[in-house]
Every structure is written in structure tokens, then in C-alpha cells.
Amino acid sequence: MRQKKYKLIDKRLITEGSQIDFNLFLPNETKSAMSLFLQSDTSVDGNAKVKLREIEMLYVSEEEEAQYNAYVARHLQSIARNDEIPTEQKARLVYEKATEAIDSMFKNPESLENVKNVQPVVNNFIEIILHDSSAVESLMKITAHDYYTHTHSINVSIYTLSLGSFLGISGKDLEVLGMAAILHDLGKSRIDYEIINKNGKLTDEEFAQMKHHPAYGHEIALKLGITDERILTGIRHHHEKMCGGGYPDNLKGDQISQFARIIGTCDVFDALSTKRSYKDPMSSFESLLLMKQQMSDHLDMGMVDAFIRMLRKQVEGKQ
Ligand SMILES: [Fe+2]
């Protein structure tokens, strides 16, 4: 008979009041075998939580790992609120789940279902960013250093939510801002794969094609039934420039919505601070310095200054 295999899990991720649909195991006293701790299809009551505090190692069988992962995804919001779990671990979990949701969205961007699955991702980010002052720093450590459209979308939404919250945007408005940020490059799903993943700088012809992505994204969002102007303009206008000359509508200054200006700033920051095939990543400090010194025609300097103040506050908060 094949020996059953087990996976060690973090007991803090088992949420009180939840229902588990997998078995939980403990090693027996001699550590020679596993014994059942909590059976599948039971709810984790106060009693079980007290017992959990006393034990050290908790396992699920490898056969039920998928159920366990789905459980963690379902309870991510309460996990994100749990102070007992270290910020780094929460940040990593939320980031991992976000990557899965965004991967599916880019595979089939015109499915309403996939886009709906992105809202909980945004809410989880909001939960840890607002709940924990060191969350942005932890998230910044794990943001992918290689540039891919899906990880870029997540990184931009993290920066956008932190900056938006720093600017005093809250509640439903912050949720809308997060959605606009995570969807901002949705139109890239209609650009040739070779152009999106080219190893090197784009030719003029390729860049001309690439420039269609904000308008494509806007079109897809309309098709999905998104009506909130702040999301629509956030997607369409994230490459507009303060002094004009951006695309697709060649807007200027206040013609560019506040959400598009926030997203545009965070978009540039992530593009500079991640690695590309033709350039090394810049540090956060170097990226912000370049934005401040060389991009006053392009970016809203009020946003760049707020970004700098926000990061400074994080560093000072730690001291
Ligand atoms: Fe873009």
C-alpha cells in the first residue's frame, strides 16, 4: 500500500468559526504516525481553537491539499485581518492568490466571471494595507522584480491603493480605485504576444501597436458592463501626460482624471523599479528621483511628491 503523504501547514490559517472540508492531522507522541485531529466537514469551534493553540505541528494529507488551498483563498480576508499572522506571511499569501486571479483574467479577459474574481483580490490588498502599517513594505519586497503584464498589474494596484489611501481616499472609492488599477493594462490582452513579451526595446511600428492598449482596455471594460467613469478613465487615460502628448486622447492637466493620474504615477514607478530584458531594475529611491527630476511634463508632481512622502512615512514608522 502506498504510504500517505502529508503537508505541514500553518495552524494560524485555520480560522475560528469556519467549516473545513479536509482532515487535519497531528503527529502522534512518538512522531511515528499521524492521527486525526479534526475531521473534514466539521466547523472550527472555540474548543478546537483552544486545542490548536497547544499543538505545534498541523498537517493535511497531500490528497486534500487542493481543498486546503481553496479554503485559504476563501478565508483570505479574515486571515488578512488576523494580527497573530506575521505581515510578511499574509502579504505573500495575498500576493500569491492575486497572481492566480490575474492570470485567469488575462487568459480570458472578456469573461465577466474572471473580472468579478478580481474584486476580492483588491479587497484583500486593502485589508492588509489599511490594517497593517508595514504591509506596503512587505508587499514591495515580494513584488515581482521581473516585468510581466499580470505581475505589473498587481504591483500597480498595490502602489495605487497605498498612494490612494495616503491621499485620503477610502471605503468604496478606494475599492473602485483598486479595480481601475488592476484592470489598467487589460487592453494588452489584445496586443500581439510577441510584442508584449519582446526581449528588448520595441520598434516604432511595434510601439504604435502597443499604444492601442489603453483604448482597447476601455473597450473591453465597456463590453464587460463596467460603467463607473473612474474605472473607465483610469484604464483609458493612464498614459496621458500632464503637458499633453500622451495617448490615446492627447489630454492635458485636469482633463486627466485623478484616478488616471494616480495610476499613471504608479505605473511609471513599477516600470522603472522592475527588471526588463534591456535594463536593470532601479531602486525605489532612484526611480522616484528620476520621476521627480525628469518627468514633470509627464506626471502630476503632486502625486509624485505624495508617493515620496508615503514611502518616507513607512520608513519613519519603523524607526
Ligand atoms: Fe499601460
Side-chain angles (χ1 to χ4, degrees), residues 109-308:
E110 303 193 23
S111 135
L112 186 58
E113 197 56 34
N114 282 342
V115 175
K116 274 191 186 150
N117 288 340
V118 170
Q119 185 70 62
V121 166
V122 169
N123 292 354
N124 289 332
F125 280 131
I126 293 178
E127 197 66 60
I128 51 171
I129 288 170
L130 295 188
H131 204 79
D132 195 325
S133 56
S134 61
V136 178
E137 216 200 339
S138 298
L139 284 164
M140 278 177 89
K141 269 191 221 147
I142 54 169
T143 50
H145 292 293
D146 287 309
Y147 186 98
Y148 299 106
T149 304
H150 59 280
T151 47
H152 169 69
S153 303
I154 299 172
N155 298 355
V156 169
S157 75
I158 292 168
Y159 302 140
T160 295
L161 287 168
S162 325
L163 180 55
S165 155
F166 183 77
L167 292 168
I169 300 170
S170 61
K172 277 274 164 227
D173 296 333
L174 196 62
E175 287 180 24
V176 171
L177 176 62
M179 274 308 269
I182 220 158
L183 300 177
H184 81 283
D185 266 347
L186 194 58
K188 282 193 181 165
S189 59
R190 284 203 193 160
I191 307 288
D192 285 346
Y193 183 82
E194 290 75 36
I195 297 182
I196 297 285
N197 291 294
K198 186 173 175 185
N199 263 343
K201 278 198 165 159
L202 300 180
T203 63
D204 290 350
E205 165 62 25
E206 288 164 339
F207 190 55
Q209 276 209 52
M210 184 65 129
K211 278 169 133 180
H212 291 303
H213 81 269
Y216 286 158
H218 181 234
E219 220 175 279
I220 298 171
L222 281 174
K223 228 172 150 184
L224 288 169
I226 293 173
T227 53
D228 195 309
E229 273 302 313
R230 295 168 297 175
I231 299 183
L232 295 172
T233 59
I235 295 172
R236 187 174 178 96
H237 295 146
H238 71 273
H239 285 292
E240 295 291 348
K241 295 182 177 174
M242 291 304 281
C243 292
Y247 56 91
D249 296 322
N250 192 18
L251 302 181
K252 273 186 185 165
D254 285 351
Q255 292 176 314
I256 309 165
S257 69
Q258 185 203 26
F259 280 19
R261 280 181 276 137
I262 297 177
I263 295 167
T265 304
C266 297
D267 184 21
V268 168
F269 177 78
D270 189 57
L272 293 173
S273 57
T274 45
K275 184 178 162 354
R276 307 293 274 268
S277 52
Y278 50 87
K279 71 159 190 71
D280 286 330
M282 289 170 116
S283 70
S284 304
F285 174 75
E286 289 166 332
S287 308
L288 288 164
L289 194 66
L290 185 146
M291 287 159 74
K292 180 125 179 99
Q293 291 179 340
Q294 295 177 37
M295 300 187 82
S296 57
D297 288 355
H298 176 162
L299 299 172
D300 178 342
M301 283 299 120
M303 298 298 175
V304 176
D305 287 338
F307 203 120
I308 294 169

